[in-house]
Amino acid sequence: MDDDEAIARSLDGDLAAYEALVARYSALAHRTAYMLGAGDEAEDVVQEAFVKAFRHLASFRRDAPFRPWLLRIVANETHNLTRSRGRRAELALRLGATADVAAPDDPEGTAVATDRRTRLLAAVRALPERERQAVVCRYFLQLSEAETAQVLDWPVGTVKSSTHRGLARLREEVGNEFA
Amino acid sequence: MSSREPFEDGLEAELLALGELIDVPAPPPTDVAAAVRARLESTPGPSSDPATPAPDVDHVPDDTPASGDMPGSGGTPGPDPAHGPYSTPVRPARSRPPGRRDDGRRPARRSRRRRWTIVAAVVAVVIAITAATPQGRAAVARILRFAGIELQVSETTPPPVTTTASLPGERTVSLPEVQSLARFEVKMPSGLGRPSNASVADNGRVVSLFWPGGVRLDQFDGAIDPIFFKKLAPPFLDFVKVGPYQAFWLGGEHPLGYIKREDGTEVPLRQAAATLIWHQDTINYRLEGVRTKEEAIRIATSLQ
């Protein structure tokens, strides 16, 4: 069952079809909410976003891709949450356990890489909000410029300039030894 | 991701790799799917719920963002389910993901959950702003959310708004046009007679009706997420009833603004006169400019 079929069946009231759609995008939705600042409240945000997406499914244009439409709702919900908390969205990103696995034949190289990753992550966290959002969408969520524009509801030009500025700042912060 | 642009830069490749390494706690997808389904089953969707007249169905072109390049431009708001119909806060028991951290931030989770519960009971939501009060809001003692309006309550009277601005995209329309341009069913208060003027704003999200003497009735959809904000100081409001519905009477002048949700910035509108705010079903109302509480309630009750 592809997205379109799942959506068609959901519109007919088939909740099992919608359940399949939710399961399909659950991980990405959590990742998006979490990385855009929902932090530990990502679960609440994601559930709410899926409920709202279902209620508004009739307004979804069927020839458009579902993924960015859904992520836009997730981003909206995240935004509402962070705004209601009245402070800058937290970006409590942590490297997973796999990030520190050492290459046994090159402990020094591993240590350098780990240190650089940690510094790069800290630099992403410290970016101004817009630049951080652009960088998170483009690289951490691997969205295209057009998808990022849709998810964040910005013009593509803003995505481009924010990404560019963010990259420049990161480069300044950690250098660009791989360029 | 066929639309993906090639990355030539080493830093970009590094960021992509870093993204893969970031640990995001998430419950199993099947749990999420089951929880969402449970919520949907316990609260019928717009199509099957006569009390919720699917406001978006007639506005598909407005509500659906272009999948192309410029979703934020051209005046199309994109989908706005984040401000959609009232959803009843059914919280099914959810299994916690294994190994989930409990690092002391649970009170925040709880307050969000409590917010749902309280909104369901149609009571004001109080979110205490404690530590980490952001700049510019230092004077705000607490925030109440009710009927799509965020009430920012300060210890001291906030400075009045001396300018006036219109709502985003607001335009005057003829009375017969109003319904076709609104996202929801527009109601008229029979207690006030025919309005002299009407306007629709923010792509049909807000409908305003005007009467001589500065009386206006704003109607807007979405019961949970705030659209307007008001700044108040005690004694700032009375809790009253409009028929069976809870309502707030704001007896004095106060700054009024609009929270433009796309980027969260606030739009100051004007210094508002005394106002009654309430919500019925999924629609919020604010009746401004009626002198007494009793008269405002009488007019509000005549809505049909």
Side-chain angles (χ1 to χ4, degrees), chain A residues 19 31 40 43-44 47-48 52 55-56 59 61 72 86 90 94 96 116 139 142 153 156 171 178, chain B residues 1 9 12 14 19-21 23 37 39 43 56 64 69 77 81-82 85 91 94 105 109 134:
Chain A
E19 218 179 328
R31 208 169 159 74
D40 285 351
E43 266 183 75
D44 289 342
Q47 264 200 36
E48 192 56 32
K52 285 188 175 168
R55 298 194 191 291
H56 287 256
S59 71
R61 216 180 63 206
R72 166 86 186 274
E90 270 173 50
R94 275 167 284 259
R116 184 173 166 79
Y139 305 109
Q142 303 191 11
D153 192 22
V156 170
R171 207 166 275 132
F178 297 111
Chain B
M1 237 168 296
D9 186 309
E12 294 181 288
E14 232 185 312
E20 307 266 339
L21 293 172
D23 181 34
R37 179 173 185 161
R39 283 181 63 178
T43 57
D56 290 313
T64 309
D69 280 343
R91 311 291 314 200
R94 289 172 297 153
R105 254 181 290 176
R109 294 179 54 80

Side-chain angles (χ1 to χ4, degrees), chain A residues 97-130:
Chain A
T98 52
D100 289 323
V101 174
D105 53 345
D106 183 17
E108 198 184 317
T110 305
V112 170
T114 303
D115 173 60
R116 184 173 166 79
R117 272 192 219 115
T118 309
R119 279 192 296 132
L120 184 55
L121 189 58
V124 172
R125 269 193 216 130
L127 285 175
E129 177 120 1
R130 289 206 150 225

Side-chain angles (χ1 to χ4, degrees), chain A residues 11 15-20 22-24 26-27 30-31 34-35 39-56 58-65 67 69 72-73 76-77 79-81 83-87 90 92-99 116-118 120-121 124 130 135 138-147 149-157 163 166-168 170-171 174-179, chain B residues 1 3-5 7 9-12 14-16 18-30 32-37 39-41 43-47 55-57 59-60 63-73 76-88 90-92 94-97 100-101 103 105 108-109 111-113 115-116 127 129 131-134 137 143 145 150 224-226 259 261-264:
Chain A
L11 284 168
L15 286 177
Y18 191 65
E19 218 179 328
V22 172
R24 185 172 302 162
S26 169
H30 274 89
R31 208 169 159 74
Y34 191 82
M35 288 187 172
D40 285 351
E41 290 174 80
E43 266 183 75
D44 289 342
V45 165
V46 166
Q47 264 200 36
E48 192 56 32
F50 276 121
V51 168
K52 285 188 175 168
F54 180 81
R55 298 194 191 291
H56 287 256
S59 71
F60 169 67
R61 216 180 63 206
R62 295 280 293 282
D63 57 355
R67 197 178 74 141
W69 185 80
R72 166 86 186 274
I73 299 170
N76 266 347
E77 279 297 302
H79 180 72
N80 289 344
L81 169 75
R83 195 162 50 77
S84 76
R85 288 197 302 218
R87 57 174 186 260
E90 270 173 50
L93 298 181
R94 275 167 284 259
L95 288 172
T98 52
R116 184 173 166 79
R117 272 192 219 115
T118 309
L120 184 55
L121 189 58
V124 172
R130 289 206 150 225
V135 166
R138 294 284 284 117
Y139 305 109
F140 290 179
L141 300 173
Q142 303 191 11
L143 304 179
S144 70
E145 283 183 340
E147 287 172 324
Q150 188 178 346
V151 169
L152 297 178
D153 192 22
W154 300 350
V156 170
T163 308
L167 286 175
L170 292 175
R171 207 166 275 132
V174 301
N176 194 15
E177 52 208 57
F178 297 111
Chain B
M1 237 168 296
S3 55
R4 153 133 266 161
E5 300 79 8
F7 292 115
D9 186 309
L11 181 62
E12 294 181 288
E14 232 185 312
L15 284 166
L16 284 171
L18 182 61
E20 307 266 339
L21 293 172
I22 291 171
D23 181 34
V24 174
T30 48
V32 179
V36 169
R37 179 173 185 161
R39 283 181 63 178
L40 291 172
E41 278 173 341
T43 57
S47 54
D56 290 313
V57 176
H59 294 268
V60 173
D63 279 326
T64 309
S67 57
D69 280 343
M70 304 288 282
S73 64
T76 54
D80 209 5
H83 307 279
Y86 190 91
S87 37
T88 310
V90 173
R91 311 291 314 200
R94 289 172 297 153
S95 59
R96 310 293 303 175
R100 199 186 159 82
R101 284 166 292 102
D103 55 5
R105 254 181 290 176
R109 294 179 54 80
S111 74
R112 182 170 162 84
R113 193 154 306 153
R115 170 178 146 201
W116 285 106
I127 297 173
I129 305 230
T133 306
R137 276 185 152 181
I143 290 178
R145 293 206 173 81
E150 181 174 294
I224 287 173
D225 301 307
I259 298 170
R261 287 167 308 234
E262 283 75 7
D263 61 0

Side-chain angles (χ1 to χ4, degrees), chain B residues 48 75 81 93 103 114 120 133 143 147 153 159 173 181 213 218 222 236 245-246 251 274 289 291 297:
Chain B
S48 54
D103 55 5
R114 187 164 58 236
T133 306
I143 290 178
V153 183
V173 299
L181 294 169
D218 297 322
F236 52 95
Y245 307 104
Q246 176 72 55
R291 274 175 215 289
I297 292 169

Side-chain angles (χ1 to χ4, degrees), chain B residues 172-182 184 186 188 194-200 207-209:
Chain B
T172 302
V173 299
S174 72
L175 272 182
E177 271 182 303
V178 167
Q179 184 58 72
S180 64
L181 294 169
F184 50 88
V186 177
M188 299 281 172
R194 191 179 163 81
S196 57
N197 226 337
S199 74
V200 174
V207 168
S208 306
L209 304 174

